[in-house]
Amino acid sequence: MAYTARDNPRRAAAKINGVPHSARIWNYWLGGRDHYPADREAGEAWITVDPGIVPLARQSRRFLIRVVRFLAGECGIRQFLDIGTGLPTMQNTHEVAQGVTPGSKIVYVDNDPMVLAHARALLTSTTPEGATAYVDADFHDPDVIIAGARGVLDFAEPIAVMFMGVLGHVADYREMLSIVSRVVDAVPSGSYLALWDGTNTSREIVRAGEAYANTGAVRYVLRSPNELTRCFEGLRILDPGLVTLTRWRPEPDGNGAAPEPVHGYGAVARKP
Ligand SMILES: C[S@@+](CC[C@H](N)C(=O)[O-])C[C@H]1O[C@@H](n2cnc3c(N)ncnc32)[C@H](O)[C@@H]1O
């Protein structure tokens, strides 16, 4: 695994100082173990108002797994750029992709020091022919991400760009669109954009977002499905379009039923 950036334990220690942080709160909702009291407090502030956040977090992981399997399998993608990776959990992008195609290459990007520390141990290639790398960078600067990824990915070949549950961290809507388009512009024709985000589609989720921000966590901006659709401008959105995560190519549970809709929408699109 390559480390392309500011891998500094003192910086990490300084940042883990009781301020709730998205990656660890997300890990709490996913049922993981990597969180601090401040993260649990912020996580519970959300759950109290909107218990639907827990199924959303868990369904989003299932969405990621289905998407990566689809891209690696049906679309023949061998390279993945997973931006806003999160703490390693079950079935990370490289495990799913390399389970389909052992030679898959994955570049992870995040700016959380705890994600960096875990990535060193856990986000390593599961196959000798594949590769993983980690870019410690802020996605507000896409040029740094692209420069870091170039060390591992071949930008002459198709790449799946992934923004999975991260774009609400960008407060300004135009800036969010610009971040996505700058990364998509850097990858060649035949590449894909896979994206989901929490949506402002229930009163509870919007109120919960307010309670969460009051705990000291950085506000997460919930957008409408229409606003998310603009991320795919110039691309061909594949069936079934931008839909609630549980409706994207669902795999029925043991009873043959699809899980309930959640307040998160996602889609996969191909760059012509
Ligand atoms: C809600 S988690 C989603 C994690 C993962 N993509 C998933 O689907 O489980 C959001 C992630 O975005 C990361 N993040 C937030 N702001 C970021 C930024 N400005 N640059 C890079 N990563 C960021 C957080 O550290 C966190 O790991």
Side-chain angles (χ1 to χ4, degrees), residues 21-23 26 61 84-86 110-111 137-140 164-166 169:
H21 193 285
S22 154
W26 194 246
R61 178 55 45 167
T85 305
D110 209 290
N111 70 343
D138 187 325
F139 55 59
H140 287 85
M164 300 299 223
V166 300
H169 286 293

Side-chain angles (χ1 to χ4, degrees), residues 21-24 26 30 57 60-61 64 82-87 89 109-112 115 137-140 163-166 169 196 220:
H21 193 285
S22 154
R24 303 186 296 263
W26 194 246
L30 277 173
S60 79
R61 178 55 45 167
L64 181 149
D82 182 348
I83 301 172
T85 305
L87 286 159
T89 176
V109 179
D110 209 290
N111 70 343
D112 185 302
V115 173
D138 187 325
F139 55 59
H140 287 85
F163 286 98
M164 300 299 223
V166 300
H169 286 293
W196 82 266
Y220 198 86

Side-chain angles (χ1 to χ4, degrees), residues 5 8 18 75 97 114 189 194 215 221 228 261:
N8 179 339
C75 306
M114 194 157 156
S189 165
T215 65
V221 181
L228 293 182

